[in-house]
Amino acid sequence: MINFRDLFPKTSTSLLSQQVYKLAQININSLTKSGIRGIILDLDNTIISEDDRYLSPLAEDWLTQAKLAGLNFFILSNGKRAYRVKYWCERLNIPAISPAKKPFPKAFKQAMAKMQLQTKQVIVIGDSLHTDVLGSWLCGCSCLQVATLPHPPRWWEKIAGKWVQKPYPNHSELEKFNDYRGYDKFRLN
């Protein structure tokens, strides 16, 4: 059983022990000690904001360290722009299923099968309660919900966003993303 209090580094901030706002706050060593061998990861507003303005701070460094620790990754994205998913898969060297149709379990089960892992060995990390968290629950995996990176709200987020997403703290740093040239290669394919 995963002790979620161990997944986050000890800090003197006011973060609750079971909350995390960004990937880089998750303790990789605690994940591996808990038997986690694979991570199903959301893309939009978890790694990169949907409007491509912000990258989760230190996300790429955290992913590199997690891979060096032996963790496997798979991206599940409901994003409608296929070129973005392809770009990020290549940049991060992580396979993906898109459109994943989360929260339905099919894509989660496909990702676990491709990683050759059982549900107890996989944790889902994403920003949305109604897609990532619900999907992890439907397929029997553990889950961590990160804060949603700032982005222009969609119509349904204006109505229900506060119930399905954790807001990104105003005082937290953000990493600007400016490498739009990389998308061109994937837009043409």
Side-chain angles (χ1 to χ4, degrees), residues 75-102:
I75 291 174
L76 295 186
S77 176
N78 285 352
K80 305 217 181 329
R81 294 177 289 165
Y83 68 88
R84 286 181 77 247
V85 177
K86 289 177 185 175
Y87 169 82
W88 285 101
C89 286
E90 184 173 291
R91 179 173 170 147
L92 301 173
N93 194 27
I94 299 174
I97 295 173
S98 179
K101 299 180 184 174
K102 297 180 290 182

Side-chain angles (χ1 to χ4, degrees), residues 9-170:
K10 306 290 186 245
T11 65
S12 59
T13 65
S14 62
L15 283 179
L16 297 174
S17 60
Q18 293 186 8
Q19 286 188 331
V20 63
Y21 292 102
K22 56 187 176 183
L23 288 174
Q25 291 176 307
I26 301 169
N27 187 313
I28 296 166
N29 191 41
S30 293
L31 286 175
T32 58
K33 282 185 177 179
S34 298
I36 297 299
R37 300 289 171 256
I39 296 174
I40 294 175
L41 194 57
D42 177 44
L43 180 64
D44 288 329
N45 301 323
T46 298
I47 297 173
I48 181 78
S49 62
E50 194 171 310
D51 62 354
D52 298 319
R53 288 179 50 216
Y54 302 111
L55 185 61
S56 181
L58 304 173
E60 291 180 284
D61 293 338
W62 185 86
L63 289 165
T64 299
Q65 292 302 313
K67 288 176 186 179
L68 291 172
L71 291 169
N72 297 299
F73 283 89
F74 216 96
I75 291 174
L76 295 186
S77 176
N78 285 352
K80 305 217 181 329
R81 294 177 289 165
Y83 68 88
R84 286 181 77 247
V85 177
K86 289 177 185 175
Y87 169 82
W88 285 101
C89 286
E90 184 173 291
R91 179 173 170 147
L92 301 173
N93 194 27
I94 299 174
I97 295 173
S98 179
K101 299 180 184 174
K102 297 180 290 182
F104 299 108
K106 183 178 179 182
F108 290 89
K109 290 179 180 179
Q110 288 174 330
M112 287 186 285
K114 289 185 181 193
M115 290 189 287
Q116 300 180 336
L117 296 172
Q118 301 298 313
T119 56
K120 66 183 179 183
Q121 298 173 298
V122 175
I123 193 164
V124 177
I125 301 174
D127 71 305
S128 294
L129 181 68
H130 68 294
T131 56
D132 306 307
V133 176
L134 180 57
S136 70
W137 180 77
L138 289 172
C139 69
C141 291
S142 298
C143 184
L144 288 173
Q145 184 181 11
V146 297
T148 300
L149 289 169
H151 64 282
R154 294 165 284 195
W155 69 268
W156 63 266
E157 290 174 320
K158 292 177 184 177
I159 299 167
K162 64 183 176 184
W163 292 292
V164 297
Q165 296 171 317
K166 283 197 250 183
Y168 199 83
N170 291 332

